[in-house]
Amino acid sequence: MYKTSEIVAQYGITESRLKEYIIKQNIPVVNEEEISKKYFQTILSFIENTEDRIEKRLKKAEATFKYNSDKNKVSIYQDDAISFLKKLPSNSVDVIATDPAYSGMNDKLKLGKGRIVGKYADKGKENGKWFGEFEDSEENYNEFLSECRRVLKKSTGHIYIMFDSYSLLSLGNVVRSHFDVKNLITWDKVNIGMGHYFRRRHEYIIFATNGNTRKIRNRKFPDVWRFKRIHSSKYPTQKPVEVFQAMLHASTEENFTVCDPFLGSASSAIAAIKNNCNYIGCDISDKSIEISNSRISEFLETGKDNIQTKSMAVDDKIFWE
Ligand SMILES: C[S@@+](CC[C@H](N)C(=O)[O-])C[C@H]1O[C@@H](n2cnc3c(N)ncnc32)[C@H](O)[C@@H]1O
């Protein structure tokens, strides 16, 4: 049995809309507020298709950026990823596409005798690190992933999580305990990067569903993606928009809601806007919020991306033909 008061609290639908639907559909209510499992499934599809649940729930959280048009609704928040996800109603997001900050990464990226070198050594560091960290522990990831699973819609939920080789080895198995992993995608960055032994040229993306059978757009896409890395980026861990575009092209339809709780420089937001999706994102860092707000508003106004000025695509037109 499901209590109507709990449905309202968890799924962010208003009591009046829920009651109206229950009456319209002649759904039996026992003991004044209990609904059987059988009828709950019908209610769930109604809830998933009810607009504005996220906006209503996030009303109290102050957005650092907000945009509303027929094509896109975009909002950005400064928050910790888990705390932000906890504010979202259950079954409200269609696709999570994210590139978390792994705490091991700051260490692994140190060169020579462990110094952070290069143009990021002084600029943009937070607490002596290149960027804020999200602890790589299984405990933290379990909490993060269970929140991701809760907010993803049961019927449409797809999730893409980026990993470097180190974090994949330690956390890939944790993803499998929460989601139905469908692919391990390799992002080939075309040009080599740093590395004391073999020089790094790739990262990974886990693609998974939350158990539903929704397919991707078509079956033409390979699981190795070639997009050039961004050199001299404005944000230390900035990824090519094309990497996110490939994810969203495969997994979204118009007006789907995309979420990235590790926004960075908002590459996923630009990809979502290009795919005519709604977008909610958050990041803990001041610099990320500052860069993202300016990048998104300029892109919405002029169609110009002020920090990735050229395409990083090599030969993968297949993703948006
Ligand atoms: C790898 S970067 C994302 C880069 C982004 N994909 C882009 O293309 O610019 C990870 C981001 O996570 C943010 N971050 C670190 N800890 C966080 C936390 N606890 N909650 C939310 N964001 C966090 C960092 O500030 C950083 O911007």
Side-chain angles (χ1 to χ4, degrees):
M1 286 290 188
Y2 294 83
K3 287 193 168 172
T4 49
S5 56
E6 283 165 10
I7 297 174
V8 166
Q10 192 180 337
Y11 297 92
I13 188 160
T14 60
E15 198 179 342
S16 55
R17 287 198 85 169
L18 181 61
K19 284 198 170 146
E20 194 185 313
Y21 181 75
I22 288 173
I23 293 167
K24 206 165 143 199
Q25 300 297 315
N26 271 327
I27 292 174
V29 180
V30 189
N31 297 331
E32 295 192 354
E33 71 155 352
E34 288 176 354
I35 311 274
S36 73
K37 198 172 176 185
K38 176 176 145 197
Y39 289 104
F40 176 69
Q41 288 314 315
T42 328
I43 290 180
L44 201 56
S45 355
F46 166 67
I47 291 174
E48 284 193 351
N49 293 314
T50 302
E51 283 190 358
D52 299 338
R53 284 188 298 132
I54 293 179
E55 288 79 358
K56 284 203 174 104
R57 187 58 80 76
L58 285 178
K59 232 178 185 167
K60 284 189 207 119
E62 210 174 301
T64 67
F65 179 87
K66 224 171 175 33
Y67 174 85
N68 241 324
S69 79
D70 291 346
K71 263 188 170 177
N72 314 99
K73 283 182 202 151
V74 181
S75 53
I76 300 298
Y77 301 81
Q78 184 162 18
D79 204 344
D80 161 71
I82 295 178
S83 138
F84 175 71
L85 289 167
K86 281 187 195 284
K87 292 178 185 131
L88 301 182
S90 300
N91 289 41
S92 57
V93 165
D94 296 286
V95 176
I96 293 178
T98 195
D99 169 29
Y102 298 102
S103 54
M105 206 189 276
N106 272 309
D107 294 332
K108 295 290 181 313
L109 289 176
K110 285 176 185 166
L111 286 181
K113 296 191 171 76
R115 282 175 308 123
I116 291 177
V117 296
K119 74 182 192 105
Y120 302 125
D122 302 312
K123 269 198 271 175
K125 275 192 297 171
E126 296 190 7
N127 307 321
K129 310 276 180 170
W130 282 8
F131 44 80
E133 292 176 346
F134 185 70
E135 204 196 327
D136 291 8
S137 67
E138 281 202 24
E139 195 188 356
N140 199 33
Y141 255 72
N142 272 320
E143 191 175 3
F144 167 60
L145 293 170
S146 55
E147 279 307 310
C148 289
R149 188 175 168 100
R150 184 186 64 76
V151 303
L152 271 183
K153 288 186 186 171
K154 296 255 178 311
S155 56
T156 49
H158 282 181
I159 182 164
Y160 292 83
I161 312 175
M162 299 188 69
F163 287 92
D164 62 10
S165 313
Y166 304 103
S167 48
L168 183 78
L169 284 173
S170 52
L171 296 168
N173 64 321
V174 185
V175 180
R176 291 190 87 179
S177 64
H178 291 266
F179 291 101
D180 188 3
V181 174
K182 298 293 187 195
N183 288 103
L184 179 58
I185 295 161
T186 302
W187 167 32
D188 174 356
K189 305 179 187 182
V190 185
N191 300 310
I192 50 174
M194 293 185 291
H196 295 301
Y197 296 93
F198 297 101
R199 305 266 300 267
R200 288 187 272 269
R201 210 181 93 169
H202 74 288
E203 285 188 29
Y204 293 109
I205 301 159
I206 287 187
F207 164 61
T209 74
N210 58 357
N212 63 60
T213 53
R214 184 169 75 88
K215 297 281 186 244
I216 56 171
R217 185 178 296 258
N218 65 50
R219 294 180 60 196
K220 287 194 300 192
F221 308 133
D223 64 358
V224 177
W225 298 355
R226 275 164 40 98
F227 299 115
K228 282 186 267 179
R229 70 171 78 237
I230 296 182
H231 279 293
S232 304
S233 57
K234 290 276 181 304
Y235 195 74
T237 52
Q238 186 186 335
K239 305 297 184 297
V241 169
E242 287 80 2
V243 172
F244 288 102
Q245 263 184 281
M247 302 175 197
L248 301 187
H249 181 70
S251 278
T252 62
E253 292 167 22
E254 244 172 65
N255 292 320
F256 264 26
T257 297
V258 175
C259 171
D260 182 356
F262 296 97
L263 172 74
S265 63
S267 310
S268 58
I270 302 296
I273 297 165
K274 286 186 171 182
N275 275 272
N276 294 330
C277 289
N278 302 321
Y279 182 87
I280 43 167
C282 88
D283 200 289
I284 207 160
S285 118
D286 295 342
K287 194 174 168 73
S288 151
I289 296 298
E290 188 194 314
I291 287 186
S292 298
N293 288 356
S294 114
R295 185 182 191 187
I296 299 170
S297 55
E298 188 164 339
F299 188 77
L300 285 166
E301 260 171 47
T302 66
K304 286 205 178 97
D305 184 342
N306 63 16
I307 70 164
Q308 187 192 320
T309 48
K310 57 178 196 217
S311 165
M312 294 292 132
V314 181
D315 52 6
D316 294 280
K317 284 203 181 67
I318 188 173
F319 285 110
W320 30 87
E321 257 164 7

